[in-house]
Amino acid sequence: MAVTDQLNNVLDKTQRLIALCDSLKEENDLLRLENQSLQVALEAGKSKVADLEEKARALKLARSLEEIAVAKQGTNEKALDIKQKISEFVREIDKCIVLLKK
């Protein structure tokens, strides 16, 4: 092989390597852009999860407060029922006392 053939061969291989390098740079740039968009999506997802967890905690707290209020209301209703029954018993006792006095 002549020196010129070897030189041409080296030049051809160099041009292919440069083309391959350019192609890999383009691919690398595309992958970096994709990576950035995925990181943005991930951060948005994390933010959404944090918001939903906060809403879930608030809802859980609201429900527990509502249960306490309902239980308290139920207790108040029971107390009112008991007071009414006591009043009825007192009226019955008063009627019995009036009948005994006669």
Side-chain angles (χ1 to χ4, degrees), residues 13-26:
K13 288 182 180 181
T14 303
Q15 287 177 347
R16 279 188 262 154
L17 284 174
I18 291 171
L20 179 61
C21 183
D22 290 341
S23 168
L24 290 174
K25 282 182 183 179
E26 287 178 21

Side-chain angles (χ1 to χ4, degrees), residues 38-83:
L38 289 174
Q39 286 179 347
V40 168
L42 177 63
E43 289 303 315
K46 285 180 181 180
S47 175
K48 181 78 170 177
V49 166
D51 288 345
L52 290 174
E53 286 175 346
E54 184 62 32
K55 286 180 182 179
R57 277 196 300 275
L59 183 60
K60 185 176 180 181
L61 177 62
R63 284 185 178 162
S64 67
L65 292 175
E66 183 179 327
E67 288 174 5
I68 290 170
V70 167
K72 187 174 181 182
Q73 183 181 2
T75 303
N76 289 342
E77 288 175 2
K78 287 179 186 176
L80 183 61
D81 286 344
I82 291 171
K83 286 179 183 178

Side-chain angles (χ1 to χ4, degrees), residues 24-41:
L24 290 174
K25 282 182 183 179
E26 287 178 21
E27 183 180 357
N28 192 23
D29 289 341
L30 290 173
L31 289 173
R32 283 184 187 181
L33 286 173
E34 183 181 1
N35 186 22
Q36 287 176 347
S37 68
L38 289 174
Q39 286 179 347
V40 168

